[in-house]
Amino acid sequence: MRQYLTLKDNWCFTKQEQNTVPTAVPGDWEIVSLPHTWNALDGQDGGSDYYRGKCWYVKELSIPEIPADTCIYLEFQAAASFCEVYVNGNKVTEHKGGYSRFRAEITDLLTENTNILAVAVDNSHHDDIYPQVADFTFYGGLYRDVNLIFVPKTHFSLDYFGAEGLTAESEITGENKALLKLYGYVSDAQEMDQVIFSVFNAEGTIVAEVCRPACEDASAELQLADLHLWNGVKDPYLYTVKAALVRHNELLDQVEVRHGFREFHVDPEKGFFLNGELMPLRGVSRHQDYLGMGNALTLEQHKQDAQLIKEVGANTIRLAHYQHSQDFYNLCDEMGFILWAEIPFISRMSEDPNGHQNCIQQMKELIYQNFNHSSICFWGISNEITIGANTPELVANLKELNSLAQTLDPSRLTVMAQLSSLPMDDEQNEITDVVSYNHYFGWYVGTIEDNEKWLDEFHASNPGRAIGISEYGCEGIITYHKDDAKAGDYSEEYQALYHEHMAKVIEERPWIWGTHIWNMFDFGCDARKEGGVAGRNNKGLMTLDRQVKKDSFYLYKAYWNAEPMVHICSKRYAKRHNDTISVKVYSNADEVSLFVNGEFFGKKEGHRVFVFENVPLGNGYTTVTAKTDCCTDTTAFEKVSEPFMPYQFAEDASETGVTNWFDNVDLNKERELTFKPGYYSIEDTAKELLEHKEASDILVNALSSLLGYNLKKSMLAVMGGNRLCDTASDLPADPEDTRKALAYINEKLQEIPKQ
Ligand code: GCU
């Protein structure tokens, strides 16, 4: 029987470069336990300066006594992002990509004496490893489990793209009936060996059993009736499929997976259907990080995230922008979330042809490793990939990825998350089975009403294309508060207003097959400095430490979670200088009453959002209570004489350049590109330019004008260490306009000497 040994403690760790591969336990390195990332702190503190490089982990392997004919594998649940593995100085394997599982057999490399495992993990930029560019921190390390697996020589395969060696797939064939297809992949099968597949219901009762001779690809089919379907969050009923590998009367190996019987489809006119019922997918996106922990999460933290997403009432999660932990996919199977799983082919296509091979590898790993998760219904092939150029090579690569996903798994749908500015009729919208757009109208660009205009126009002009919103959201920082909240003020109130609008727009359009808020939780982005907060993307409905639910969280809870609730908004906006205020309440009841200092103030009927105007504030504290027929919420506001200034976000003037001067520049003038040594030019990196005040002003102003919205220096920081002339082609602007803007920027930069 197979055995797992998790290598948790006593790893020696260093960032120091090593001239040779370590073959002994180093005495003076830091001792760490897994899961571990070296960016837990510097990846979240801003400055775009977190450590990206090669680090080493070394551990002595204590191998228990094992029977002859046992194979020993090393299994890495993930290593971010380029990993080389050595046992006793011998290279075992290497792996490119920081989010998927990989294994290697090490049996022949082990000695009877001490064995030393040395692992080099490198999170620096590689042209041939995705992701290439994004706002989120690319935390490095062995941030998921590393296991030793002991298996008899004949076993369910451990060698195929990190897969489980057993797959279960089903097709609904009638009411509560399905055809279940089972595949057991056996390595080194002998002629008499058998695979016994058994199917158990959730109560643990066996419901079917079928035997096949063991071979590399032992498959069986079963027609099952009286099934209990897996019905999303309403009823996530799971069966367990066990595969036992037997020789004579002995069990050699056994694996098990869970399986939910379900049918789904997307109707472009009507939306998403699960088991024949319309079920608009409404939910959130999630990144896998946590305050002070980076991406090295514990099972408890994964559980907490899943519980919070359940509490908000979501029925779907987009697991962005890469393969997540098996722990989380398992929880989603158990809790019934419909998942969008994706690879990190995001923002920009690498020019290195090996990069495409890496995408293909990550797509194969995503599908083979997660095939058995019934919660997954969509394979995402890319995100905002046209931020880089939209070239024929890109289209060809996307088509190849799409058909790969469709071929490996015809039972699910493919999808891509398009950049908002991608024209509706772009041929890229024809590639995947369904399509989805990231829209930030009302935050980065346009007005909040552009959302519904865009959606209705797309729906009317593309009746055959199922459309979703793969990202929408805006920043909300819980210490900023405003009465007349507006886009760009980072207040908790604007975030709430924005989501009130979006929740309504979405509710009125059930044909939008799926919507995913960006993001459930704030997440670490070391390059960002939004609203004066370094190192965060603050678009979460909750904070990075999972301690605070912003008002927007409760808005969606009122919309999506049927459990009775009532919530008074802007509690953190506690000091008020007006004599009367408006009090906003979110609830899923039809009627809410408000009490002021215990006295009845008024009653409102409504749908999710209830606003009570002219609530009087006396001196000192005024206690306000909102009540429905079964819930109540209370807070107090304090009357103060002057506006409390810390509630306002004061834009740091060094973050934005002087506005509008660029608009008066004659861009059509032909400018010669010069490159005087000792002066700045577009051949410098964005990082270098941003470090110089005048150069960065030129850059921010010119690019703001080119793109038509106010950029901030922190937003440009993601362009990082690449030459401006190379990354500028990635901007979503007309290439000719970009060329002219670059010529102008260059002319101005050439006036600034480098110190
Ligand atoms: C993009 C991108 C996200 C990013 C978001 C944002 O759409 O896909 O990864 O975090 O914008 O700007 O907040």
Side-chain angles (χ1 to χ4, degrees), residues 135 321 383-384 438 440 444 471 518 523 528 537 539:
D135 66 345
H321 282 309
N383 176 69
E384 295 195 344
N438 296 352
Y440 288 95
Y444 290 130
E471 285 181 27
W518 193 257
F523 56 93
R528 279 192 184 261
N537 187 313
K539 295 191 185 73

Side-chain angles (χ1 to χ4, degrees), residues 477-491:
I477 296 174
I478 59 168
T479 46
Y480 296 142
H481 299 287
K482 271 289 200 61
D483 285 332
D484 55 344
K486 290 195 181 53
D489 65 17
Y490 294 94
S491 66

Side-chain angles (χ1 to χ4, degrees), residues 155-419:
H155 56 262
F156 288 106
S157 171
L158 290 162
D159 295 313
Y160 200 63
F161 290 97
E164 284 164 305
L166 165 66
T167 49
E169 87 179 283
S170 62
E171 204 179 297
I172 304 289
T173 49
E175 199 171 334
N176 301 330
K177 287 189 183 146
L179 173 66
L180 177 65
K181 296 183 186 167
L182 301 167
Y183 305 86
Y185 306 95
V186 180
S187 301
D188 195 46
Q190 308 295 303
E191 218 183 343
M192 300 291 283
D193 297 344
Q194 301 270 314
V195 174
I196 307 170
F197 296 104
S198 333
V199 184
F200 297 82
N201 65 17
E203 291 72 44
T205 308
I206 191 158
V207 295
E209 191 163 56
V210 56
C211 301
R212 305 297 305 152
C215 63
E216 272 181 13
D217 186 357
S219 61
E221 288 189 2
L222 284 165
Q223 296 278 357
L224 299 177
D226 302 320
L227 287 172
H228 189 145
L229 298 190
W230 184 92
N231 203 19
V233 287
K234 277 191 241 158
D235 185 12
Y237 190 94
L238 287 171
Y239 287 78
T240 298
V241 174
K242 286 190 186 162
L245 177 62
V246 292
R247 176 171 298 163
H248 304 131
N249 285 351
E250 200 181 316
L251 183 61
L252 291 177
D253 192 16
Q254 182 164 295
V255 280
E256 63 177 66
V257 298
R258 272 126 24 120
H259 187 75
F261 292 92
R262 44 115 178 98
E263 181 280 331
F264 69 91
H265 67 276
V266 176
D267 178 325
E269 273 306 304
K270 299 196 177 111
F272 180 87
F273 287 77
L274 180 65
N275 301 329
E277 259 184 59
L278 180 66
M279 189 180 97
L281 295 177
R282 301 296 175 248
V284 297
S285 287
R286 174 202 189 232
H287 261 306
Q288 55 170 23
D289 68 343
Y290 198 97
L291 184 70
M293 315 272 301
N295 54 357
L297 302 196
T298 61
L299 174 61
E300 284 317 305
Q301 286 165 328
H302 288 298
K303 280 188 185 161
Q304 182 187 28
D305 279 8
Q307 277 303 337
L308 289 165
I309 295 173
K310 186 179 160 75
E311 183 186 339
V312 83
N315 60 12
T316 179
I317 312 176
R318 176 179 174 210
L319 289 176
H321 282 309
Y322 39 74
Q323 184 171 329
H324 283 229
S325 155
Q326 285 303 312
D327 287 340
F328 204 79
Y329 293 112
N330 284 335
L331 288 163
C332 292
D333 293 337
E334 289 160 19
M335 293 168 78
F337 298 114
I338 302 278
L339 296 187
W340 164 328
E342 69 188 31
I343 56 165
F345 188 34
I346 58 182
S347 320
R348 170 143 53 85
M349 184 179 91
S350 167
E351 276 165 24
D352 183 343
N354 292 328
H356 183 53
Q357 292 318 308
N358 184 251
C359 267
I360 290 178
Q361 174 210 313
Q362 293 203 45
M363 181 58 93
K364 287 185 178 168
E365 290 171 332
L366 182 77
I367 296 181
Y368 286 127
Q369 293 176 19
N370 299 295
F371 189 92
N372 290 314
H373 292 294
S374 303
S375 53
I376 298 176
C377 291
F378 301 92
W379 298 123
I381 67 167
S382 64
N383 176 69
E384 295 195 344
I385 195 63
T386 50
I387 290 185
N390 188 357
T391 60
E393 292 75 46
L394 172 65
V395 173
N397 284 354
L398 287 166
K399 285 187 174 160
E400 194 184 336
L401 278 173
N402 182 65
S403 50
L404 174 70
Q406 287 175 333
T407 312
L408 295 186
D409 185 4
S411 73
R412 291 177 170 103
L413 298 175
T414 57
V415 64
M416 60 200 283
Q418 307 291 29
L419 185 68

Side-chain angles (χ1 to χ4, degrees), residues 26-39:
D28 52 350
W29 294 11
E30 192 186 337
I31 304 294
V32 299
S33 294
L34 304 191
H36 174 261
T37 170
W38 57 82
N39 300 122

